[in-house]
Amino acid sequence: RFPKVFLPKPDLGAGKNLQEALMKRKTERDFSPKPLSKEVLGMLFYWSMGITNKSREEIFRRFYPSGGARYPVEAYIAIFRGEGVKSGVYHYNFKEHALELLPFASSENIREVLTFLSTKPVLPRPGNFLCDSKMRRFKGFGARICSGH
């Protein structure tokens, strides 16, 4: 498969309570000049896309809801400045809590696309989080739920 960067899991005992985290949440436009570290990436991907538990039948439960546990969202990151992680475009492998380097994509191409699509100047940032939806995983399941069948 692709070259992997294994991410550390966050310290599960060092978290904030939900209310405190929600009250401090804000959108930032002033990006840090610091490169993205494996620890920051590990925390970001673990809490947004990671596994909460796995059943004996290899059914994975994750931190975000999904009808029928289909989880159609795939996460990617374009890293422009990394610490212990090369610049490039990576896919998040949730089963291994690892980033897989995609050799056919480049972070510079992503930066160019973001600049082209943006109505405002693209500010320098250490990376961009990207998501894609694999709706075919539902195989009509969503339509059956919505229609009540």
Side-chain angles (χ1 to χ4, degrees):
R1 200 136 157 130
F2 301 121
K4 293 180 183 164
V5 175
F6 292 93
L7 301 173
K9 286 193 177 177
D11 179 4
L12 302 180
K16 297 178 179 181
N17 70 42
L18 180 60
Q19 180 181 359
E20 183 181 345
L22 290 173
M23 294 300 290
K24 290 186 176 185
R25 194 221 96 28
K26 64 181 179 174
T27 300
E28 286 287 344
R29 296 283 184 252
D30 183 25
F31 301 107
S32 171
K34 292 185 207 172
L36 288 169
S37 68
K38 284 185 182 180
E39 289 73 26
V40 167
L41 291 167
M43 197 176 336
L44 170 71
F45 282 104
Y46 183 82
W47 291 114
S48 63
M49 306 294 289
I51 296 172
T52 58
N53 63 44
K54 178 176 79 169
S55 70
R56 282 183 239 134
E57 297 84 33
E58 292 293 311
I59 296 174
F60 297 94
R61 301 287 182 203
R62 295 168 73 183
F63 286 106
Y64 67 94
S66 177
R70 304 287 182 168
Y71 300 101
V73 177
E74 292 290 330
Y76 300 84
I77 190 161
I79 297 177
F80 305 126
R81 286 189 314 277
E83 183 179 288
V85 184
K86 293 189 318 185
S87 293
V89 179
Y90 294 82
H91 169 258
Y92 177 61
N93 178 329
F94 70 92
K95 291 179 183 177
E96 296 185 59
H97 190 55
L99 296 176
E100 299 169 325
L101 179 62
L102 303 178
F104 49 82
S106 81
S107 56
E108 284 309 310
N109 288 349
I110 298 294
R111 189 189 311 264
E112 288 174 20
V113 169
L114 292 172
T115 302
F116 178 75
L117 294 176
S118 181
T119 57
K120 298 178 183 173
V122 176
L123 301 172
R125 59 188 76 161
N128 262 84
F129 192 70
L130 311 162
C131 291
D132 180 31
S133 180
K134 306 283 187 200
M135 294 308 287
R136 69 179 175 271
R137 288 186 188 163
F138 281 97
K139 298 178 186 166
F141 182 73
R144 287 195 305 271
I145 289 174
C146 292
S147 66
H149 294 100

